[in-house]
Amino acid sequence: MRSVALMSLCAVFLAGCTDTDERAGEAPPEPIPVSVPKKPAYEATDDLVRALEEAGIKCPVLGRGPDGTATRCAARMATDEPVELELNLDTRSHLGTALALRRNPPYQHTLIAAGNWYIRVMDPDFAPRVAKALHAVVLKPLGETSSPGQPPYEDQLPEIPDKPAYKNLDALADKVDAAVGCTGRDDDDNDPALNWRFLNCTTGRGGQQRQEYCADLAVYDDARSRDEGLWSQITGGQTPKGLVAGSNWSVALCDEALVDDVVKRVGGVEVR
């Protein structure tokens, strides 16, 4: 499921901050857990995808973040059920802070880390297998986690209207096309076992922020799948510029200026 606010701290990127930075309240970088090995390191998330495949874990790509440092893919478990992985690259100097942000409340993700990268695993039971394949370590969430009956997103997402709903991706894409454009549609990586379907397309707008695919569309089987997908996008290190959700669907945009047009003409509400 999908892509969260990026934090930029001077202490993260520099070996040390000046007194002025300290007076401004800049936090020092978090240390990397001692168990996290320095290797292997990768130049691109596609290298991580290839490393997984070479280790026997095929993980078709579901989507990519706008700057190329985050990629989502769907790996197969022994039960043949897909497990979403969120692959992230970082600098070694910032890695400790990135890991701490995602392990602590309110996110409390299960992570795999090594070198200059980390992976969020949506199913924690699958984490040891991925860690072994990539010669990395599993980092469990910190703090008291929510009970299974109380998902973390329960009180964090906006109230999402029941209408309009779209019967399939084509119907949603046609509506988005009429609102902001949706051309060059690509849905080749869909897996029939997923409880959602996704499609990438170009909006035709976006200016300097325009990417090859400016919109990620998804249609979900049920409200729970939708909410889990939205929560993944806003807490997973790859928040889109704009995110709109409705009854059984979501549209992630590379240009936040398109949000109002999508809400007015496609429906739904903005998710921040």
Side-chain angles (χ1 to χ4, degrees), residues 5-25:
L6 300 179
M7 183 172 291
S8 177
L9 303 175
C10 80
V12 168
F13 297 105
L14 302 178
C17 287
T18 64
D19 291 340
T20 301
D21 293 330
E22 291 174 358
R23 287 196 300 270

Side-chain angles (χ1 to χ4, degrees), residues 165-176 185 217 219 266:
Y166 293 95
K167 61 182 179 179
N168 54 42
L169 273 173
D170 286 336
L172 175 61
D174 288 344
K175 199 72 174 180
V176 173
R185 303 178 190 182
L217 283 57
V219 171
V266 181

Side-chain angles (χ1 to χ4, degrees), residues 4 8 10 22-23 29 42 46 57 63 67 100 104-105 120 122 157 172 175 204 218 233 239 253 260 265-266 268:
V4 75
S8 177
C10 80
E22 291 174 358
R23 287 196 300 270
Y42 297 99
D46 283 346
I57 303 176
D67 60 359
N104 280 295
R120 178 188 175 193
M122 304 308 177
L157 296 176
L172 175 61
K175 199 72 174 180
Q233 291 188 72
T239 300
L253 300 157
D260 288 344
R265 303 181 65 182
V266 181

Side-chain angles (χ1 to χ4, degrees), residues 1-248:
M1 300 173 191
R2 317 293 182 209
S3 247
V4 75
L6 300 179
M7 183 172 291
S8 177
L9 303 175
C10 80
V12 168
F13 297 105
L14 302 178
C17 287
T18 64
D19 291 340
T20 301
D21 293 330
E22 291 174 358
R23 287 196 300 270
E26 299 279 3
E30 293 283 348
I32 299 173
V34 295
S35 62
V36 176
K38 295 182 179 179
K39 295 181 179 181
Y42 297 99
E43 294 184 359
T45 51
D46 283 346
D47 296 331
L48 270 170
V49 174
R50 282 191 289 271
L52 282 167
E53 186 167 356
E54 290 171 0
I57 303 176
K58 291 186 177 180
C59 201
V61 171
L62 304 177
R64 304 178 190 277
D67 60 359
T69 60
T71 294
R72 302 186 310 280
C73 66
R76 287 287 190 178
M77 292 184 65
T79 60
D80 210 35
E81 289 293 322
V83 175
E84 186 176 345
L85 306 181
E86 178 195 296
L87 318 177
N88 297 272
L89 291 186
D90 215 317
T91 61
R92 187 75 182 179
S93 61
H94 181 251
L95 187 64
T97 299
L99 296 174
L101 284 171
R102 287 155 182 78
R103 295 176 70 196
N104 280 295
Y107 306 134
Q108 298 178 289
H109 299 162
T110 296
L111 305 176
I112 295 162
N116 62 337
W117 54 271
Y118 63 94
I119 297 176
R120 178 188 175 193
V121 185
M122 304 308 177
D123 184 344
D125 292 338
F126 195 49
R129 179 181 171 189
V130 177
K132 182 178 180 180
L134 296 177
H135 307 288
V137 296
V138 177
L139 299 174
K140 295 183 178 180
L142 300 174
E144 184 177 352
T145 56
S146 301
S147 67
Q150 296 176 317
Y153 51 76
E154 188 172 45
D155 298 320
Q156 302 297 321
L157 296 176
E159 184 173 348
I160 298 173
D162 294 333
K163 295 179 180 181
Y166 293 95
K167 61 182 179 179
N168 54 42
L169 273 173
D170 286 336
L172 175 61
D174 288 344
K175 199 72 174 180
V176 173
D177 190 27
V180 296
C182 187
T183 60
R185 303 178 190 182
D186 180 3
D187 61 356
D188 292 342
D189 291 327
N190 271 296
D191 189 309
L194 294 173
N195 57 0
W196 77 96
R197 299 290 176 269
F198 59 91
L199 175 152
N200 313 121
C201 62
T202 300
T203 62
R205 290 175 56 187
Q208 293 182 348
Q209 297 297 325
R210 180 175 178 178
Q211 305 293 320
E212 181 180 0
Y213 297 118
C214 281
D216 290 333
L217 283 57
V219 171
Y220 305 92
D221 288 351
D222 49 50
R224 178 174 179 177
S225 300
R226 177 203 64 203
D227 289 350
E228 289 177 348
L230 294 173
W231 185 247
S232 172
Q233 291 188 72
I234 64 177
T235 66
Q238 50 188 12
T239 300
K241 293 296 182 69
L243 180 60
V244 179
S247 176
N248 65 333

